[in-house]
Amino acid sequence: MRIPTALTLLLTAAALGAQTSVILVDDFETEVDWESVWLADLEAMDVTPTVVAQADVTSAELAGADAVLWNCGDETEDTLTASDRAVLNAYLDGGGNLLLVAPGAPSDLRGQGESEWMRSRLGCDYVMPDSPLTWSSIYLGHTVGGLAETLMEGVRFDLTFGPEADVAADDLCLINATDRRAENLLSFIDMPGCLGVARETPTDRTIFLTASLDSIASSGQRRDVLRRCVEWLTAPRFEGRGIWVVRTQMTDPDNIDTLVDRCADAGFNTLFVQVRGRGEAYYSSATEPRAEGLADQPETFDPLQHCLERAHAHGLQVHAWLNAGFTAEAGAPPTDPDHIVNRHPEWVMVNRSGKSLMDYTPEEFRTQYAEGRFLSLAAPEVQDYLVGVYMEVVENYDVDGIHFDYIRYCSRGVSPEWDLDYNPLVTRLYERETGVDPLALEIDSEPYEAWLEWQRDRIGEFVGRVRDEAHAARPGIRVSAAVLSRYHLARIHSLQDWIHWLQRGQIDTACLMSYSADNALVVQEALLAQENRGPGTVWVGMGARHDIDLIQDRIARVRDVVEPEGIMFFAYGGFDEAESGILRHGPFAAPARVPPVAP
């Protein structure tokens, strides 16, 4: 995972103080009274650390600390023993954050053959603390992320420095610009002898300083360096970690309590809970009939409200997931007279031969690959109705997001006569606007493609309308859509032009349904979305019913290559207790907040 360090250091400032848990580790046996120096500096930051002697430190003592400040003083031998490294490994694997001040570490660890530990844990091969090169002159004028002359210029570095340096120092900026090999090196303005490497992974953050802090003569400068380091280490992480929860999990209050607790324990921070599946409500609605799945529950039971209260108490966000197009199954139509397809059967999609999905036989649904009965999403009457459905939830519930699903056409048929949607409500509107009758168009002709594009645009305008009204009613709400991950197929076969929705600001977030077991394909699909998203954001949705090792590798590859705003899984129930624990102590070890929605 590549992080623009200088940008992060400048823009994030954790609220340090008594609530920040810091552990100070030192042997305190050097010529400098390091304990007094560190304590005085931290006291000036309103931080009271727990002090542990290096000889006595254990992984249990470090567990749960917001940051560990490990000072090796001016020692050049036994800087970090194998036992010390084991303790640090356990702490960092659990989502820890480390400031290591170790002038002797480079030579000592290399002497122990621990260059790999330095690379994997500290992000470097070697840093020469007393380099004859004037590092500050190299980085002082170097702009990172559009910022210049910040206190801690951040560029990473994966090179070997010293007598066997594989690149001249003057070439570092060029290297950074061409292959990102120099992205984390920290230099301090006017302090050329104080070098370091900052490294961030999804599970831990480390800063490695190769000069002792007493080499900074000014106590004010030293405290500023220490403050910035601790602020960056303890600043909140931002990554969406979502999971889809299908409506069958929302039928019982005890089950809702259990699923919220388990998702929180596994490290998720966002629940996408399905509250409208097939035109029925798992919430209190003035327009939608109560779901048949709630027949055994009292009328006072409101699944969405219950989930909101439980999840918010755990610090989890709740996004209301409502199906748009898919409104009734392919079998027998709903019997409830208040169901939308019974109240308005004329709002259901129609094929080119004039046959409504309401009248398809089971065999026709099967042979035409139609999932079920879909509403005519391009029809003005349907759009007005669905805007009301979504906004009823936004206005009546403290939801953190609204989530579209089936915001697309079902299969448009395998032959021209089965092509959808020729609902008269849609075709008459198109003819009024263009003067062209869609039924007169030759399939695959240029005018026919214009007809399809018009329908795509109608769906985009609809989701954009919901986004605008939702943001006006509840600023900061996220409007997202579950989308078919293969964009070209989504656009052609389902008229779901979700990349343009992102680029036009019609949705905030596209949640890719990338459920393949082929990790390379998942990365490829996600990268296409990320590189073409415009002002929108991408959350990569993955299948939960795969081998947990495959899933961990998928998360790592998506984070490293794609760097999406969030990752998510379909669906709750796909992970057993052991697999949830692996997520919690592996990819989700470091807690993360949901990124805020851009205005």
Side-chain angles (χ1 to χ4, degrees):
M1 176 179 254
R2 295 186 289 270
I3 304 295
T5 307
L7 186 62
T8 306
L9 289 168
L10 184 68
L11 298 182
T12 58
L16 298 176
Q19 75 278 11
T20 304
S21 171
V22 173
I23 293 179
L24 173 60
V25 179
D26 198 342
D27 59 17
F28 308 121
E29 295 179 358
T30 62
E31 296 179 3
V32 179
D33 184 4
W34 273 104
E35 184 171 4
S36 297
V37 171
W38 281 83
L39 291 177
D41 288 348
L42 291 168
E43 183 179 349
M45 298 159 51
D46 196 28
V47 173
T48 303
T50 300
V51 180
V52 179
Q54 183 172 341
D56 301 328
V57 69
T58 65
S59 55
E61 288 178 294
L62 302 188
D66 294 324
V68 168
L69 316 183
W70 189 298
N71 178 47
C72 295
D74 55 8
E75 294 295 309
T76 57
E77 295 182 358
D78 297 326
T79 301
L80 286 171
T81 65
S83 176
D84 292 337
R85 294 194 299 275
V87 168
L88 287 176
N89 284 341
Y91 171 63
L92 294 172
D93 286 341
N97 304 297
L98 170 69
L99 170 61
L100 178 65
V101 182
S107 58
D108 198 40
L109 289 171
R110 283 171 64 85
Q112 299 176 52
E114 289 297 333
S115 293
E116 176 55 36
W117 188 85
M118 293 180 67
R119 283 191 294 270
S120 63
R121 283 307 189 190
L122 305 180
C124 63
D125 289 324
Y126 182 52
V127 178
M128 179 174 283
D130 298 317
S131 170
L133 302 173
T134 307
W135 292 100
S136 60
S137 67
I138 295 172
Y139 291 102
L140 182 60
H142 183 57
T143 300
V144 181
L147 303 172
E149 300 189 12
T150 60
L151 177 63
M152 300 175 75
E153 292 279 18
V155 284
R156 176 196 231 138
F157 111 97
D158 300 316
L159 306 173
T160 300
F161 289 85
E164 299 179 358
D166 63 352
V167 63
D170 291 343
D171 294 333
L172 279 178
C173 291
L174 177 61
I175 289 172
N176 186 52
T178 55
D179 66 8
R180 303 180 70 102
R181 292 181 69 193
E183 208 178 325
N184 258 5
L185 183 65
L186 300 180
S187 63
F188 298 81
I189 292 175
D190 298 327
M191 290 174 263
C194 187
L195 299 177
V197 176
R199 177 177 179 269
E200 179 173 15
T201 75
T203 57
D204 62 78
R205 289 178 179 146
T206 59
I207 295 178
F208 171 35
L209 299 183
T210 64
S212 58
L213 290 184
D214 69 338
S215 66
I216 305 176
S218 165
S219 61
Q221 285 183 315
R222 184 179 66 245
R223 288 172 183 174
D224 200 26
V225 169
L226 183 59
R227 176 184 60 81
R228 284 179 175 264
C229 288
V230 176
E231 283 180 352
W232 182 70
L233 290 171
T234 59
R237 295 170 179 271
F238 290 94
E239 180 183 55
R241 297 172 182 171
I243 191 161
W244 281 288
V245 180
V246 299
R247 61 193 183 280
T248 54
Q249 301 285 355
M250 300 287 289
T251 59
D252 177 83
D254 291 338
N255 193 61
I256 292 175
D257 291 346
T258 298
L259 75 86
V260 169
D261 295 349
R262 287 181 177 175
C263 290
D265 290 343
F268 291 99
N269 57 25
T270 310
L271 305 180
F272 292 78
V273 296
Q274 189 179 37
V275 295
R276 184 181 187 270
R278 303 293 185 264
E280 299 177 321
Y282 288 78
Y283 57 94
S284 179
S285 175
T287 62
E288 304 301 280
R290 186 172 172 85
E292 291 183 1
L294 302 177
D296 295 335
Q297 297 294 334
E299 289 291 325
T300 55
F301 172 54
D302 185 327
L304 176 55
Q305 183 60 35
H306 188 94
C307 185
L308 279 164
E309 293 172 2
R310 185 77 173 194
H312 284 173
H314 279 276
L316 274 63
Q317 288 197 4
V318 175
H319 295 218
W321 160 19
L322 298 93
N323 287 1
F326 195 175
T327 307
E329 298 287 357
T335 58
D336 190 331
D338 291 329
H339 193 284
I340 191 60
V341 300
N342 292 326
R343 287 170 19 219
H344 289 285
E346 75 279 9
W347 288 0
V348 175
M349 284 187 173
V350 175
N351 69 24
R352 191 178 176 92
S353 299
K355 189 167 191 175
S356 168
L357 287 174
M358 289 295 292
D359 302 321
Y360 273 35
T361 66
E363 179 68 9
E364 287 170 339
F365 276 113
R366 186 185 65 81
T367 58
Q368 299 306 313
Y369 302 101
E371 297 102 317
R373 295 174 171 89
F374 278 58
L375 295 179
S376 291
L377 293 175
E381 296 85 350
V382 171
Q383 293 191 358
D384 290 343
Y385 156 71
L386 287 174
V387 168
V389 169
Y390 283 89
M391 289 307 299
E392 181 182 42
V393 174
V394 171
E395 292 169 350
N396 294 335
Y397 291 90
D398 188 23
V399 292
D400 304 285
I402 284 289
H403 184 62
F404 287 100
D405 194 10
Y406 286 102
I407 183 63
R408 57 180 174 85
Y409 283 24
C410 62
S411 172
R412 291 175 37 240
V414 297
S415 57
E417 65 270 21
W418 296 95
D419 189 26
L420 300 166
D421 178 16
Y422 292 85
N423 187 313
L425 297 174
V426 178
T427 58
R428 286 199 297 262
L429 177 63
Y430 185 72
E431 189 168 4
R432 284 199 304 271
E433 291 187 3
T434 66
V436 175
D437 178 5
L439 287 167
L441 299 176
E442 182 181 350
I443 297 292
D444 294 333
S445 66
E446 187 173 332
Y448 175 80
E449 291 301 323
W451 152 243
L452 296 183
E453 189 67 12
W454 178 86
Q455 293 176 85
R456 294 186 190 102
D457 289 343
R458 287 284 298 166
I459 299 174
E461 291 164 3
F462 161 63
V463 296
R465 177 181 166 191
V466 172
R467 180 193 180 275
D468 290 346
E469 294 193 21
H471 276 248
R474 189 180 293 276
I477 193 172
R478 184 184 301 274
V479 177
S480 62
V483 299
L484 300 173
S485 57
R486 300 184 187 183
Y487 170 67
H488 63 293
L489 295 180
R491 186 178 184 279
I492 294 170
H493 296 296
S494 299
L495 304 190
Q496 187 182 65
D497 196 1
W498 53 264
I499 281 184
H500 281 124
W501 301 349
L502 287 170
Q503 293 175 344
R504 296 166 181 163
Q506 292 171 326
I507 58 172
D508 299 308
T509 302
C511 301
L512 273 61
M513 298 185 290
S514 195
Y515 303 150
S516 172
D518 183 344
N519 285 355
L521 178 59
V522 172
V523 169
Q524 181 184 41
E525 292 173 346
L527 194 59
L528 172 70
Q530 183 74 350
E531 291 181 343
N532 293 278
R533 61 189 172 84
T537 63
V538 172
W539 289 30
V540 181
M542 312 173 189
R545 297 189 182 278
H546 294 149
D547 178 81
I548 192 63
D549 292 333
L550 185 76
I551 288 173
Q552 289 190 90
D553 177 66
R554 183 179 307 151
I555 294 172
R557 293 171 69 175
V558 165
R559 281 170 164 170
D560 183 57
V561 177
V562 181
E563 298 180 343
E565 186 185 60
I567 54 179
M568 55 195 302
F569 287 93
F570 185 86
Y572 172 77
F575 296 116
D576 60 28
E577 187 173 349
E579 291 168 333
S580 295
I582 290 172
L583 289 177
R584 180 63 176 185
H585 298 291
F588 294 167
R593 299 181 185 179
V594 182
V597 176

